[in-house]
Amino acid sequence: MDSLIAASARALAAGDALGALQRVALRDDPPALALRGIAMAQLGDYPRARELLRRAARGFGAREELARARCVVAEAEVALAMRDLGGSPRSLAAAAATLEARGDHANALHARLVAVHRLLLLGRIEEAGAALSRLDARGLPPALTAVAGLAAAEVALRSLRTKPARAALDRAHEAAERAGIPALLAEVVEARTALDRPAARHIHAGHERPLRLDEIETLLAAGTLIVDACRRGLRTGDAWFPLVRRPVLFALVRALAEGWPGDVDRDALIMRAFRSRHPDETHRVRLRVEIGRLRKLVAPLAGIEATVRGFALVPRVRRGVVVLVPPIDGEQASLQALLADGAAWSTSALALALGASQRTVQRALVELEAAGRVRSNGRARAQRWLAPPLTGFTTILLLPTAFSPE
């Protein structure tokens, strides 16, 4: 490694992308191409960064397996920054194994952290947590320690465990300060503010107030029956009944929970569940069928009793019923939450993260664009969608989570 390559690498490690480019900008040998690619990624020019990293990987010879593996890891990180989630994770896993076998433990851990980040973007929280638990971050550079702490904090936050999340963020903040990389420190500071922002609105007996994540965790620990309109399900304690794929049943149980402790009129339930303002006998028959399905599904948590004018929710627990609703209204709340990270998403990546069809996501994006909430750049396959940050609250509960099949 010559002196210019070494100096450029040190500049990149310190977060000085322009300083790195000044040393290797006019060189086309594979090590310089790799460093230029990483520098361009730090400056936000991801397409150019990906091109340079691919050229560098092709330029390294058959005996330079370690260098090629590092290029694969860097390209995978660029792909995540571009929200290109459709690629196979096998090449990244193979690169991590190569790095580990060759003694490059820091870059091997970096590769596995990139894989964890991909799982988090796809909402596969349990897999991400399991992958993190297998990592040994002792003795690593401060920057990687901070990245590992951020990943651990996100897993904890998405699982509504605020104390472990706060501890992980404290470790990440200390490591980021030691690393001296402003962008990394800013990311940690932004993540810490999520703990103090409202994450949902609490509706109980007709009254509404904002809740932070720690308050939601306390509510869950109290054993209250919660109708969660953020993640579309019913929960009490550790019991969770997802209804994300059964929108009619969720609409009914939410209406019943909002009307608790009283009952809800049949016509009001028909309007909420079937969106019909002029109910007839067929709607009432369908309502009885859907109430029967809901009654069977939620039997371990609550009963549903018929009254003279409609139906009433009767929880098995004594602590009552609470409805958690998103901090923002609308059917596209999860879509807005994904776009609020400031990255440019493709329609296919959004569909993959949300577990929806591209056509459904495209329709929702068109509606949001007409309302001025998102904007697009490019056309056809190059089209990307962006949205301004959602300030004043955290979107943790709105981010997609891969639930087990119902």
Side-chain angles (χ1 to χ4, degrees):
M1 183 182 295
D2 60 52
S3 59
L4 284 177
I5 293 292
S8 179
R10 286 195 296 271
L12 282 178
D16 182 10
L18 292 176
L21 282 175
Q22 285 177 350
R23 293 167 173 84
V24 295
L26 300 180
R27 293 177 52 169
D28 285 329
D29 52 301
L33 288 172
L35 292 171
R36 285 169 58 192
I38 296 170
M40 296 307 293
Q42 289 187 4
L43 293 173
D45 190 349
Y46 301 125
R48 179 64 174 157
R50 173 180 270 185
E51 178 190 347
L52 288 167
L53 288 167
R54 286 178 175 175
R55 285 176 57 192
R58 289 193 300 266
F60 285 115
R63 296 182 179 180
E64 297 173 294
E65 191 178 24
L66 186 62
R68 286 205 311 274
R70 289 170 178 166
C71 288
V72 169
V73 175
E75 186 184 343
E77 189 170 17
V78 169
L80 281 190
M82 296 175 68
R83 296 302 184 258
D84 181 0
L85 308 179
S88 171
R90 292 180 182 177
S91 59
L92 181 60
T98 298
L99 292 166
E100 191 69 48
R102 296 297 185 90
D104 189 352
H105 304 298
N107 277 313
L109 178 67
H110 186 196
R112 295 189 172 102
L113 287 173
V114 170
V116 168
H117 189 195
R118 180 178 183 273
L119 291 172
L120 288 170
L121 286 174
L122 292 173
R124 292 154 64 176
I125 310 304
E126 291 183 4
E127 291 180 53
L132 268 177
S133 67
R134 294 191 293 267
L135 301 184
D136 184 4
R138 291 175 296 182
L140 289 172
L144 278 182
T145 303
V147 172
L150 279 170
E154 184 167 356
V155 169
L157 286 175
R158 300 275 288 273
S159 305
L160 280 180
R161 295 182 291 112
T162 54
K163 288 184 179 179
R166 196 178 294 276
L169 286 173
D170 288 342
R171 294 194 301 271
H173 190 269
E174 180 185 357
E177 285 187 324
R178 285 190 284 116
I181 302 176
L184 182 59
L185 185 59
E187 187 176 353
V188 176
V189 170
E190 175 61 25
R192 292 176 84 173
T193 62
L195 292 167
D196 300 318
R197 291 175 178 168
R201 290 174 290 156
H202 165 288
I203 298 178
H204 176 68
H207 301 285
E208 179 181 313
R209 65 182 178 90
L211 286 181
R212 299 189 310 272
L213 286 168
D214 58 339
E215 294 174 317
I216 295 171
E217 184 182 16
T218 301
L219 199 61
L220 291 173
T224 307
L225 178 62
I226 297 176
V227 177
D228 188 346
C230 299
R231 293 180 172 175
R232 302 238 169 188
L234 195 65
R235 68 167 77 227
T236 180
D238 295 328
W240 167 250
F241 290 80
L243 293 172
V244 66
R245 296 189 183 96
R246 307 183 76 169
V248 171
L249 296 189
F250 181 75
L252 288 173
V253 76
R254 177 175 172 177
L256 291 170
E258 289 177 357
W260 184 87
D263 60 356
V264 181
D265 181 82
R266 287 177 176 83
D267 289 349
L269 289 173
I270 288 170
M271 186 175 68
R272 288 285 294 271
F274 310 137
R275 299 183 179 180
S276 175
R277 295 183 179 276
H278 305 287
D280 55 26
E281 190 57 33
T282 60
H283 291 110
R284 294 184 179 90
V285 170
R286 187 182 174 194
L287 177 63
R288 288 196 295 271
V289 170
E290 297 295 347
I291 286 290
R293 290 173 178 164
L294 181 61
R295 183 181 282 127
K296 182 179 180 180
L297 183 69
V298 304
L301 303 182
I304 299 176
E305 294 183 353
T307 65
V308 173
R309 74 186 196 107
F311 295 92
L313 187 67
V314 182
R316 308 288 185 205
V317 295
R318 296 181 179 180
R319 295 185 180 273
V321 179
V322 165
V323 181
L324 286 183
V325 298
I328 53 174
D329 295 314
E331 295 293 327
Q332 295 89 17
S334 292
L335 185 57
Q336 286 185 262
L338 283 175
L339 290 169
D341 66 0
W345 288 72
S346 66
T347 304
S348 58
L350 289 168
L352 190 61
L354 292 170
S357 69
Q358 288 193 44
R359 183 172 295 181
T360 299
V361 171
Q362 186 67 45
R363 284 198 299 264
L365 287 169
V366 169
E367 292 178 10
L368 289 173
E369 187 176 32
R373 297 180 184 177
V374 303
R375 61 184 176 87
S376 64
N377 288 328
R379 293 186 177 182
R381 292 187 176 182
Q383 187 177 40
R384 294 293 184 270
W385 295 89
L386 303 108
L390 298 172
T391 58
F393 57 87
T394 177
T395 59
I396 290 293
L397 292 183
L398 297 178
L399 295 173
T401 300
F403 295 115
S404 58
E406 298 170 38

